[in-house]
Amino acid sequence: MFELKIPLRDVAAMQCRQPSLEGTGEVPLRRLVKEALRMRPSRIIVGEVRQAESLDLLIALNSGLPGMCTIHANSAREAVTKMCTLPLLAGENVGSRFVVPTVAGSIDIVVHAVLEHDGSRRVREIAAVPGRIEGDVVEIADLFVTSGGRLVRGSGFPPHEDRFRRSGFDLAALLAGAEE
């Protein structure tokens, strides 16, 4: 069963497959990401990044292809850290000197949702990735944080305002409206 249900036309949904009892027929997520890129998509969405496929996704995002993914982490900062670590599983020739700046330059926004005790999901924080690194740590800026049980505007600002403008969004107006 697909975990993401996108109610749009022209969506090519793909799904991994475990190997058969004979050990054949496996379709790993990394292969699906590469096959999706061969289709020359206008965007790519990966349901759950868990392993080396994160490298292929980062390379696609770094080439200017818009996209998003889901990843399991305890906070927005930990999600960014995980995106800096998972590509290292792709092979010995992949190092953090390449991965960390690629994460910083490829990811704009991280939305951290939590599973509440009643089973509902709620956004706990939204962070921006301004593109700066210090040492091997990617800097993040708080766009929205939970305070007093409510999501309130933080002091950060997302990078690449031009990307939002090309997609038809006035970033300054969106953030100003969120402060009210």
Side-chain angles (χ1 to χ4, degrees), residues 5 7 32 35 46 77 83 113 118 131 133 138 145 157 167-168:
K5 297 188 182 357
L32 291 179
E35 292 298 327
V46 179
R77 167 150 313 284
M83 282 302 291
D118 63 358
I133 57 174
V138 176
V145 295
F157 198 82
S167 296

Side-chain angles (χ1 to χ4, degrees), residues 142-145 150-158 171-180:
D142 294 328
L143 294 178
F144 295 91
V145 295
R150 291 189 44 217
L151 202 60
V152 297
R153 178 76 169 93
S155 60
F157 198 82
L171 190 56
L174 284 172
L175 294 174
E179 292 174 348
E180 298 172 356

Side-chain angles (χ1 to χ4, degrees), residues 16-28:
C16 297
R17 184 173 60 207
Q18 296 295 321
S20 67
L21 292 174
E22 295 82 28
T24 61
E26 179 181 21
V27 180

